[in-house]
Amino acid sequence: MLQDGNAGLVDKVRANTHVFRNRLTEAGFELRGDYDHPIAPVMLGDARLAAEFAQEMLSRDIYVVGFSYPVVPMGLARIRTQMSAAHTMEDIDRATDAFIEVGKKLGVI
C-alpha cells in the first residue's frame, strides 16, 4: 500500500493542505472540496476574473490554472490549486500572500 512507507509524506501534504485552506478561508476566499483533499479549488465564479487572477499570480511567479466553462459548470469558474508534500511553509506563505494580494487588487476579497 502506498501509505505504508510514506506516512510522513501523507502527514506533510495534509498539514500543507490545512495551512493553505485555513489561510485563504480566513482571508475571505471560498474554497471547495474536502478539507483534507490537496486539490483546493478557489472559487471566483466569473471566467474572465479567473483568467485575470491566474495571470496576476503568474506575474508573481506563482503558476495556477484558471478553470471555466466548459471545463466546469457555467458560473463556477475557479483557480485550481494543489498542495504537495514538497511544498515548504515558505512556499505556502508566499502563495497565500500572493492570493491575498491579488484577491484584494481584483476585488475578490
Side-chain angles (χ1 to χ4, degrees), residues 9-100:
L9 294 177
V10 172
D11 291 343
K12 182 151 190 247
V13 75
R14 184 173 294 124
N16 287 350
T17 297
H18 292 173
V19 169
F20 181 83
R21 284 180 173 273
N22 289 341
R23 182 121 190 257
L24 289 190
T25 300
E26 289 166 7
F29 287 97
E30 177 192 352
L31 277 72
R32 293 261 176 109
D34 185 80
Y35 183 66
D36 287 333
H37 201 287
I39 296 175
V42 181
M43 303 306 293
L44 298 176
D46 181 73
R48 194 169 293 152
L49 176 60
E52 185 177 0
F53 202 105
Q55 188 60 43
E56 285 284 339
M57 293 294 285
L58 188 57
S59 76
R60 290 160 176 78
D61 296 325
I62 297 173
Y63 179 72
V64 295
V65 177
F67 282 3
S68 59
Y69 181 82
V71 177
V72 297
M74 185 85 67
L76 294 177
R78 64 198 68 189
I79 298 293
R80 183 191 186 274
T81 66
Q82 183 168 347
M83 295 300 102
S84 162
H87 289 123
T88 65
M89 276 303 131
E90 292 79 19
D91 294 333
I92 294 170
D93 287 343
R94 186 166 162 269
T96 55
D97 287 346
F99 262 96
I100 292 166

